[in-house]
Amino acid sequence: MGKQILVIGAGISGLATAVALQRRGHDVTVIEERTDTSSGAGISIWPNALAALDEIGVGDAVREAGSGVTAGAVRWRDGTWLRHPAPQRLVNALGEPLVVIRRSALTKVLADALADGTIQTGLSAQELVTTADGVRLALSDSTMREAVAVIGADGTRSVVARHLNGRLADHYVGYTAWRGVADCAIDPDVAGEVLGPGIEFGHVPLGPDLTYWFATERAEAGQDSSTLELRYLKARFASWADPIPAVLAATNPDEILRNDLYDRAEAKRWSRGPVLVVGDAAHPMRPHLGQGGCQGLEDAALLARFVDGDDDLAAAFARFAAFRRPRVRAVVRESKLIGQMVNLRPAFLSGLASRATVLIPESMVTRHLAAVAARSAFVLPSDRDTASV
């Protein structure tokens, strides 16, 4: 029998969670504060997340909407190779190429997989109260909703996570990030990252004619200068290795996104009774492994298995959290460590640390990357993991 569940947040984690549950016969409604959820530049979907999307049933649709990439090159700002793995070696280690896709295209694939009327926009969660029958949710339009369960996929500043944990303070990590899509192609051989002291630039093909790029640099918070961002980036990266100057030259200044990066500790409590958090609401992470959205997709696919395995949603949520914590904590910890290394102060220490990575054997790097991002890294729970005790 289907269970009526409210999902708070129509980002990647929320939509994927709704798809996974709805396709297993559950009655799901998604509540989203924004009225336009199509924003965003690009995102890399690594094979572990593609395996999760296959479990949900939309993996092939995502592959068709994006483009396969064997990104793995790492260069210094002058073009010197720090890492240059053979593409086929990466594919063999990961199980398939990663997929680079516009965020708007990914959310469209997920939204299109839901029944009409599932997503309700322009509404935000204000307060949750657990009742004998489930959860009562107060919304921003002064209405109340009753549900068997509520799943918070409402990001780092999650209302649902605060309901479970009390105050959860986030903090600026000391650097900012830019993202954009350039109207040009790059040589797939250089797809990956280019490093400098305290600064990095990444670029990967987005189909045959476009390039998704990102950059991070230490900066004071709140320095967004709107249309001047591209002018700054062109000057900052003017002397860097090709094709970075050409990529920036082919970028529309009105479509550049700048976000100061904030971090928050993992929620100590992911679930209590019929209330659960997933994705960034549960375990926010820095972007340096490209696993934030990917781990949210893993959450969605695995949660559906646990919900199917137990008629007691509170127990299913608790078992899901216990199953997920070890893997997610390791990825969060490593993402933070990489960010700290790239942004060491003074900047020359960051440069030394980045250049020293060339000393690590390629086989070791590949094995470690596979442990995080290969198809085999996405592990389904056993019957014993999901079964009611």
Side-chain angles (χ1 to χ4, degrees), residues 40 65 73 88 237 281 290 334:
Q88 194 55 46
F237 292 101
E334 183 167 346

Side-chain angles (χ1 to χ4, degrees), residues 9 81-82 87 141 179 190 205 239 260 268 279 303 320 325 347 356:
W81 294 103
L82 299 179
D141 64 352
R179 291 170 289 151
V190 299
S239 64
D260 292 335
K268 290 183 178 179
L303 176 60
F320 162 81
R325 279 184 185 276

